Amino acid sequence: MFKIRTFNTISSHGLDRLPTPDYVVREDIAEPDALLLRSYNLHGTTFPDSVLAIARCGAGVNNIPVETCSNQGIVVFNTPGANANSVKELVICAMLLASRRVVDGINWARSLKDEDVAAAVEKGKKNFKGPEIMGKTLAVIGLGAIGVAVANAASALGMRTLGYDPFISVSSAWGLSREVTRATGLDEIVQSADYITLHAPLNDQTLDLINASHFARMKTGVRLLNFARGPLVNEEALLQALDGGTCACYVTDFVDARLAQHPKVIPVPHLGASTPEAEDNCAVMAAEQIRSYLEHGNVKNSVNFPEVRLPPRPDGYRIQVVNRNEPRMISQLATVLAGAGLNIDNLVNKGRGALAYNVVDISGPISRSVSDQLAAIDGVVRVRVIAPS
């Protein structure tokens, strides 16, 4: 039986993928095998040795201490693409809001109380005129699942769409419409765009991805959308661009006090994935990833472990070994197993940065003594045995 601790309200569609009696899922489990959460902040949390996996129902993992997890041999999953359609729809909405001054118009119309509203509307509507998006140029920065969905949708709406992502995956490239033009550099894409939308991850390389030097190259009146992470845009440079007229409107899902009060900012209260469909999709993906890892050792959509996919092994033993990505680790593992008279039926070894993950299939049972010898190898972080089901 596996024990899963939840930290947020998780969609029942996801929890149904962890069936009883094989799984116990509660908020108050002291020594869980895995953690399942949405936005709960795990920084500062001490993880018991029992924790093997953490899955976040969402793409960002800023609320999870990933390095700490790696040092303890805990795999961290996220759910990229599960909320792609939800965010895509909101981004398209944001472009229209930024263009047509719909929010300003609505707020003004609500203020008309003690006069002839119909006449006032006809007289005042010219103050909220804005351009159509058809025929305009949209720059999509970051071509993951959401960026590809936005680029394809904008192209279908008649926009000239440019995409930029130096690290685009093969699957994303396959999904990109042929109507989307790939740009070769950030400077190239920002200077030709009427609209710019950000869909890049936040890391040391993308902090202040859009800064003063980029605003200086943009068209006057550009509209900037950020539904990825707030710090992708340098806020001081943004405010100068808004005040100076370079940026006509900034729409963001990540708001602070200064941005919320700026007249050219449309502050959206982090609604990108706030649909029942997205919550269901994220929960299902996270639960299935936890289950596949606990039962079979498979890794998919991890932010710290390499991807490993193996078929179930109902009649044999499987060993999971997490270790530092260093030379001679495989030979040391094989020496211990050979010394115990255990033959290796199959072995998968993959590295990711400073970490390596091994899955070893053995036909015979593995004693606690052998498991302890493997764990005692210098550089091994965690050893776990999966017995036949």
Side-chain angles (χ1 to χ4, degrees):
M1 177 185 294
F2 296 110
K3 296 175 290 184
I4 313 298
R5 181 178 179 183
T6 59
F7 284 87
N8 300 103
T9 300
I10 307 297
S11 164
S12 60
H13 290 266
L15 299 182
D16 288 344
R17 304 300 174 103
L18 302 170
T20 55
D22 297 327
Y23 289 84
V24 174
V25 183
R26 294 202 314 266
E27 295 181 353
D28 59 348
I29 296 175
E31 294 188 348
D33 297 293
L35 311 180
L36 185 59
L37 68 151
R38 292 167 61 194
S39 57
Y40 185 88
N41 187 359
L42 289 178
H43 287 280
T45 300
T46 299
F47 302 114
D49 292 339
S50 63
V51 176
L52 301 168
I54 299 174
R56 180 176 183 255
C57 303
V61 291
N62 304 75
N63 57 324
I64 300 173
V66 176
E67 184 175 356
T68 298
C69 293
S70 296
N71 292 337
Q72 290 187 231
I74 301 171
V75 60
V76 179
F77 296 106
N78 65 347
T79 58
N83 61 4
N85 186 70
S86 172
V87 179
K88 175 205 74 178
E89 290 184 358
L90 192 57
V91 171
I92 298 300
C93 173
M95 277 198 293
L96 295 170
L97 294 178
S99 274
R100 303 295 296 275
R101 298 194 62 192
V102 175
V103 174
D104 290 340
I106 291 172
N107 290 336
W108 173 74
R110 288 186 185 279
S111 72
L112 303 174
K113 296 177 181 178
D114 301 322
E115 53 187 296
D116 185 341
V117 173
V121 164
E122 288 304 312
K123 183 178 178 180
K125 67 182 182 181
K126 63 179 179 295
N127 296 320
F128 306 102
K129 182 171 61 176
E132 299 177 6
I133 65 173
M134 185 174 180
K136 304 303 189 300
T137 299
L138 170 67
V140 182
I141 299 174
L143 294 171
I146 295 172
V148 166
V150 169
N152 291 348
S155 180
L157 289 171
M159 300 188 79
R160 174 176 177 256
T161 308
L162 309 176
Y164 173 69
D165 190 335
F167 307 107
I168 186 171
S169 68
V170 173
S171 60
S172 291
W174 273 108
L176 199 61
S177 167
R178 73 172 96 183
E179 303 299 324
V180 178
T181 301
R182 279 195 64 193
T184 57
L186 195 56
D187 290 343
E188 170 196 350
I189 199 171
V190 299
Q191 65 188 6
S192 59
D194 302 298
Y195 303 81
I196 300 171
T197 182
L198 305 179
H199 301 288
L202 178 62
N203 51 46
D204 292 341
Q205 289 69 47
T206 60
L207 180 68
D208 291 341
L209 180 68
I210 302 298
N211 52 51
S213 67
H214 298 109
F215 282 113
R217 293 178 171 86
M218 293 179 190
K219 290 181 177 181
T220 299
V222 69
R223 290 162 169 85
L224 178 62
L225 317 177
N226 184 0
F227 287 79
R229 283 293 179 269
L232 293 173
V233 180
N234 181 281
E235 190 165 302
E236 293 300 326
L238 168 65
L239 291 169
Q240 290 181 24
L242 289 168
D243 294 338
T246 297
C247 187
C249 185
Y250 179 61
V251 191
T252 183
D253 218 16
F254 305 92
V255 187
D256 62 23
R258 285 201 296 176
L259 293 178
Q261 301 305 316
H262 197 286
K264 292 185 178 179
V265 173
I266 299 177
V268 181
H270 206 178
L271 298 181
S274 294
T275 67
E277 294 86 355
E279 291 179 4
D280 291 346
N281 292 340
C282 288
V284 167
M285 184 181 291
E288 288 182 343
Q289 288 165 178
I290 283 179
R291 184 173 180 180
S292 184
Y293 183 75
L294 294 179
E295 295 181 12
H296 308 299
N298 288 330
V299 176
K300 182 181 180 182
N301 295 327
S302 171
V303 299
N304 63 336
F305 275 38
E307 182 168 310
V308 171
R309 300 189 194 186
L310 290 170
R313 186 171 171 80
D315 301 322
Y317 287 77
R318 178 167 285 175
I319 311 172
Q320 296 171 276
V321 180
V322 183
N323 59 270
R324 297 197 300 265
N325 197 3
E326 298 175 352
R328 297 186 60 250
M329 296 303 302
I330 296 296
S331 62
Q332 293 182 78
L333 298 177
T335 298
V336 170
L337 295 174
L342 296 172
N343 186 53
I344 296 176
D345 295 335
N346 188 27
L347 184 150
V348 175
N349 165 261
K350 288 189 177 182
R352 181 170 179 177
L355 205 64
Y357 177 55
N358 308 273
V359 180
V360 187
D361 285 342
I362 304 293
S363 55
I366 300 152
S367 67
R368 178 62 180 271
S369 173
V370 172
S371 179
D372 289 344
Q373 289 179 60
L374 293 172
I377 296 173
D378 183 38
V380 168
V381 179
R382 183 190 287 273
V383 174
R384 174 177 175 249
V385 176
I386 303 176
S389 56

